[in-house]
Amino acid sequence: MITRRPTSTFISIATISVALWLSLQPVSAQPRHTATAQTEERDTTKFFQGFAVSADVVGLIQLAVSDYGQYEAALRVNLKDRYFPIFELGLGKANHDDEATKLHYETSAPYFRIGLDLNLLKNKHDIYRVYGGLRYAFTSFKFDVSHPGLEDPVWHDKVSFGAEGVKSSFHWMEAVMGVDAKIWGPIHLGWSVRYRRRLTDSVDAMDNCWYVPGFGVSDKDNFGGTFNIIVDI
């Protein structure tokens, strides 16, 4: 007598056989490009972004209210809104009387500075900018120094003394921190704080040199500042 297995038994055996066969097949390679590659954002800002001219107001105020000051203008180049090479040119003047020594000091001469400012803000395209920078500066000038005179204790004659056209030169560096903001159209307003450090000078002449054009009073290292009206060109 032949025993017939139920149909369900054959289905089960067939299913298990197919599963075993599939498990023995090599696993196909997974696609390599399963995620979208992330690319860094490229800076498409043009290298040359123009230039700006400016004039300092602080020096004009100094001339109006004190016995020294300067006229100063600057040309600044904009590279990628990040780097700003700058050239500053001025005319420094002094007409000073020392009440203690009775010495009179007078000079008027040009000076220049050249340097680089760096925009420190993360968003370099903002209408506000915060700068850090350095300057090298130089002036070659002449000055006059005079005294009304001393009275001879014996003969009671008054003897005056002084010097005219004393030649001198002065080299210095400046560390600069500044801010400027766009006000309207191409017009910006900006200010800077500066620390000035003497490098070299003509020492013999500096003994009686009260003021150095562009640097300030020469008997100490100076802190100074500017307030600029800036126009983009």
Side-chain angles (χ1 to χ4, degrees):
M1 180 177 178
I2 299 174
T3 305
R4 294 185 178 180
R5 295 179 180 177
T7 305
S8 59
T9 301
F10 289 105
I11 294 175
S12 299
I13 294 172
T15 302
I16 293 171
S17 300
V18 171
L20 288 172
W21 180 80
L22 290 175
S23 65
L24 295 174
Q25 299 304 307
V27 178
S28 59
Q30 297 294 323
R32 294 182 180 180
H33 304 288
T34 57
T36 304
Q38 295 182 353
T39 57
E40 294 183 0
E41 184 179 354
R42 297 181 61 187
D43 185 357
T44 58
T45 306
K46 292 181 180 179
F47 181 73
F48 178 70
Q49 293 292 304
F51 57 92
V53 294
S54 64
D56 173 43
V57 178
V58 172
L60 299 178
I61 296 175
Q62 285 179 322
L63 284 171
V65 302
S66 70
D67 48 9
Y68 71 95
Q70 63 275 337
Y71 304 100
E72 183 175 304
L75 174 66
R76 185 175 70 189
V77 180
N78 183 344
L79 303 179
K80 296 183 76 68
D81 284 339
R82 179 69 74 188
Y83 307 100
F84 296 85
I86 189 166
F87 176 76
E88 298 169 337
L89 181 66
L91 176 68
K93 305 181 72 174
N95 193 340
H96 171 70
D97 290 302
D98 191 310
E99 295 182 1
T101 63
K102 305 301 180 183
L103 288 171
H104 176 76
Y105 177 86
E106 189 170 354
T107 188
S108 177
Y111 61 91
F112 77 87
R113 306 186 195 97
I114 188 168
L116 179 70
D117 289 335
L118 176 67
N119 185 359
L120 302 177
L121 291 183
K122 184 176 181 180
N123 179 9
K124 63 183 181 180
H125 306 302
D126 203 330
I127 62 173
Y128 302 97
R129 293 171 182 157
V130 177
Y131 298 105
L134 290 173
R135 305 280 190 278
Y136 161 75
F138 172 77
T139 182
S140 179
F141 63 104
K142 296 179 181 180
F143 66 90
D144 301 333
V145 60
S146 60
H147 192 279
L150 298 175
E151 186 175 328
D152 187 288
V154 177
W155 303 104
H156 302 288
D157 293 331
K158 204 167 189 178
V159 180
S160 61
F161 60 90
E164 293 184 359
V166 180
K167 294 182 179 180
S168 186
S169 62
F170 202 89
H171 303 255
W172 73 97
M173 294 292 294
E174 297 186 5
V176 182
M177 286 296 297
V179 174
D180 83 39
K182 185 175 181 179
I183 302 302
W184 175 80
I187 299 175
H188 296 241
L189 293 179
W191 57 265
S192 72
V193 176
R194 301 173 179 228
Y195 175 70
R196 304 183 178 110
R197 182 75 177 181
R198 180 190 306 188
L199 296 176
T200 62
D201 56 64
S202 48
V203 178
D204 293 340
M206 299 312 296
D207 291 341
N208 294 313
C209 181
W210 177 76
Y211 168 83
V212 176
F215 182 89
V217 179
S218 64
D219 60 356
K220 57 185 176 180
D221 295 323
N222 276 2
F223 281 97
T226 63
F227 185 84
N228 298 306
I229 300 173
I230 307 163
V231 180
D232 288 330
I233 305 298

